[in-house]
Amino acid sequence: MSDRNEIIHELYEQHFDDVYHYLLYFTNSKSEAEDLTQDTFIKVLKSYDSFRQQSSLKTWILSIARRTAIDHYRKKKMISILPSILTDMRKSEAYIPEEEMVHNHDWGVLQKALIQLKPDYRNVIILRGLKEYSIKETAEVLGWKESKVKVDYHRAIKLLKKYVNNSNEGEVIFNERENVR
């Protein structure tokens, strides 16, 4: 195996879980997340030589994943909620549920509320709230200023709580992380 292939293989091994889980949260579809993860790493492979190290490899790869997901979302126009996804995710060994989601019911309520958010709010909730990225990392992935991350995260949390409360399906356990890391 050439040096380049080894580097790409190592990048894939190191960052697959982050990319896959990000895309799974974004799409709410296991098969779409798998396809978009593959598309993301194809783009990483094609553009690796142009990586300028202005950010970490992790945030660069997640930025590619984000753009891939947004392109997919624009083409599709709507993301459908598939009821069996939640059950499949819970059964999968590769999927590790977030600590905040105590019950399947809570996870379902959160997913339904999350899918109602506009893509920018969904992105900031996934990265800050669910994946626990720092404000700086989130800003790098999204290509935003840190102040925009803070403001949009606050607004997204507020809106997400409103959607959850209006769902009348029960209370979801979602721990706000307002502290700066």
Side-chain angles (χ1 to χ4, degrees):
M1 200 180 325
S2 72
D3 287 342
R4 181 178 160 82
N5 288 344
E6 287 177 25
I7 291 169
I8 299 299
H9 179 74
E10 191 174 309
L11 286 176
Y12 179 82
E13 291 294 319
Q14 288 176 353
H15 301 289
F16 173 83
D17 286 342
D18 285 331
V19 170
Y20 175 73
H21 288 129
Y22 170 80
L23 293 168
L24 184 61
Y25 288 130
F26 191 90
T27 64
N28 196 30
S29 169
K30 202 173 182 181
S31 63
E32 286 181 9
E34 290 169 354
D35 291 344
L36 293 174
T37 300
Q38 180 179 353
D39 291 348
T40 297
F41 280 101
I42 288 170
K43 290 176 182 179
V44 167
L45 174 65
K46 288 180 179 178
S47 59
Y48 180 73
D49 291 333
S50 65
F51 174 61
R52 297 191 176 144
Q53 299 181 3
Q54 294 173 339
S55 63
S56 71
L57 271 171
K58 177 180 173 179
T59 57
W60 178 70
I61 292 170
L62 284 169
S63 296
I64 293 172
R66 174 184 169 262
R67 287 191 302 276
T68 302
I70 289 172
D71 289 346
H72 172 76
Y73 181 74
R74 285 181 183 145
K75 288 176 190 171
K76 191 173 177 184
K77 298 281 184 187
M78 287 187 67
I79 297 175
S80 62
I81 299 174
L82 303 175
S84 63
I85 293 284
L86 298 174
T87 306
D88 291 346
M89 285 177 8
R90 294 290 181 186
K91 291 179 182 175
S92 170
E93 281 186 20
Y95 177 75
I96 300 170
E98 303 300 325
E99 292 175 7
E100 294 85 13
M101 308 317 150
V102 177
H103 304 288
N104 284 344
H105 177 75
D106 293 339
W107 176 242
V109 171
L110 178 61
Q111 278 294 337
K112 287 177 185 176
L114 190 61
I115 211 75
Q116 293 179 56
L117 296 175
K118 68 180 186 176
D120 280 352
Y121 283 3
R122 192 175 326 139
N123 276 319
V124 78
I125 290 288
I126 291 168
L127 294 172
R128 287 282 300 137
L130 296 173
K131 295 305 289 177
E132 300 182 355
Y133 285 26
S134 69
I135 291 171
K136 183 179 181 181
E137 288 174 322
T138 302
E140 287 179 16
V141 169
L142 298 176
W144 296 353
K145 293 183 178 184
E146 290 182 24
S147 59
K148 179 171 173 49
V149 170
K150 292 175 190 176
V151 169
D152 278 15
Y153 181 67
H154 175 73
R155 289 177 180 166
I157 287 288
K158 189 174 179 179
L159 195 55
L160 189 66
K161 284 181 176 181
K162 178 182 171 186
Y163 289 154
V164 168
N165 290 335
N166 289 341
S167 73
N168 293 326
E169 293 185 42
E171 198 170 316
V172 69
I173 297 169
F174 191 80
N175 186 10
E176 289 184 54
R177 288 181 190 83
E178 296 295 330
N179 58 326
V180 179
R181 292 195 286 164

